Amino acid sequence: MTRREIKDYLDSLCVRYNCAAFIDADPVSVPHRYERAEDIEIAGFLAATIAWGQRPTIVRNGRRMMELMDDAPYQFVCQSEPEDWEALLPFVHRTFNGDDFVYFVRALQRIYRHHGGLGGFFRSSFLRHGEMREVLSEFRRLFFPPELNPLPRHMRHLSSVDKGAACKRLNMYLKWMVRRDGNGVDFGLWSDAIPASALYLPLDVHTAETSRALGLLARRQNDWKAVEEVTAVLREFDPDDPVRYDYALFCAGIYKELAVDSFIL
C-alpha cells in the first residue's frame, strides 16, 4: 500500500479512537478527575509512571494513588511531611511499590518548591534546548539528584533516553500535557510553550507492532532509535501533530484492527 493509503487508514482510526469516549478505559482518565493545572500535571505524571501492564489495573491503581494523596495531589506534594508519606507505603503496582511512591513524591516536592513545578520545568527546558530528547535527559537528572539519595530501584521507574530507552511513559505524559485538539482527551496545558510538532510517539508493544505491520518502522528493537524512526514517518503524515496517531496505532494493535478491517499490506 502507498503511504497515502496508510495515512488515510490511520486518519480513520484517529476519528474512531481519539475521542472522549476512549478516556474511561485509559490511564489518561486519572488526571481527568481534576481541573486545577497542577493537580492534572501531578496526577498525569504518576499515572503515566505506572502505565505498564493491563489498562484496567493501571487505571485502578492510578486512582488508588490519588486516594492515598487525599485526592488532592498538588496539595499533598507541596505540603506533606515525612509522617504523611507513611500512608503511601502499602501501595503496589507490579514492581512499583510504596517506597518508590514516597521517593517520587519527594522528588516532585523538590521540583514544585524549587523548579517551578512540572509545567515550569518542561516549558523552560524546551525553551533552552528546543528538542524533546534533551528535555527528557535533563528531566531525569533533575528527578534523581544526589541529595535525595535515589536508589537503583527508584531510578528504573523513569526511563533514560541517554541509555537508549524508548521512554514510552514520559512521551505519553508529554502528549497528554502538550497536545490540544479539542477532542477532550489530551489537556494542552503546555501548548503555549511546547509545540505538538516536537513530540515523539509513545512507543510500546502495540504501537510498534502496528507500525511494523504498516511498514512505518523497520527497526526490530523498541528503543529510542525506533521512536525516532517511526516519529519521522508520522511527521510526514502530519508535521504539526505527528503523535495524534498514537491511539490509532495503539488501538489497531490491541483491537486487531488490521485484521478486522481487512487491511491488505
Side-chain angles (χ1 to χ4, degrees), residues 232-244:
V233 176
L234 298 179
R235 285 185 177 134
E236 295 175 11
F237 291 171
D238 191 336
D240 295 327
D241 190 10
V243 303
R244 75 182 182 91

Side-chain angles (χ1 to χ4, degrees), residues 101-211:
F101 195 179
V102 169
Y103 180 87
F104 271 59
V105 167
R106 292 173 61 218
L108 287 170
Q109 188 175 84
R110 178 176 176 271
I111 289 170
Y112 276 88
R113 288 181 176 178
H114 305 294
H115 298 278
L118 287 168
F121 167 79
F122 278 103
R123 286 183 178 96
S124 63
S125 183
F126 185 80
L127 181 64
R128 286 192 297 275
H129 300 292
E131 210 288 318
M132 290 310 303
R133 187 197 179 285
E134 295 303 318
V135 174
L136 293 177
S137 177
E138 184 177 21
F139 178 67
R140 194 171 191 274
R141 293 193 298 272
L142 176 71
F143 205 80
F144 296 116
E147 56 265 36
L148 290 186
N149 298 312
L151 300 177
R153 66 158 297 110
H154 302 144
M155 299 178 74
R156 70 182 178 183
H157 294 296
L158 196 64
S159 297
S160 172
V161 69
D162 294 325
K163 294 181 178 179
C167 297
K168 172 252 183 177
R169 287 170 282 173
L170 279 173
N171 283 325
M172 180 176 70
Y173 175 61
L174 288 167
K175 170 182 174 287
W176 294 348
M177 296 298 109
V178 171
R179 287 194 73 250
R180 183 189 295 276
D181 61 8
N183 288 345
V185 179
D186 301 311
F187 295 93
L189 294 180
W190 306 340
S191 60
D192 59 325
I194 304 173
S197 60
L199 298 174
Y200 286 91
L201 181 70
L203 189 72
D204 65 3
V205 171
H206 303 292
T207 56
E209 286 182 351
T210 304
S211 296

Side-chain angles (χ1 to χ4, degrees), residues 12 55 77 87 112 165 173 198 216 220 260:
S12 71
R55 283 195 300 157
V77 163
Y112 276 88
Y173 175 61
L216 308 180
R220 301 313 302 173
V260 170

Side-chain angles (χ1 to χ4, degrees), residues 6 30 54 59 61 72 78 95 105 146 153 173 195 202 207 236 245:
I6 295 171
V30 177
Q54 296 184 339
V59 173
N61 286 339
C78 290
T95 62
V105 167
R153 66 158 297 110
Y173 175 61
T207 56
E236 295 175 11
Y245 295 106

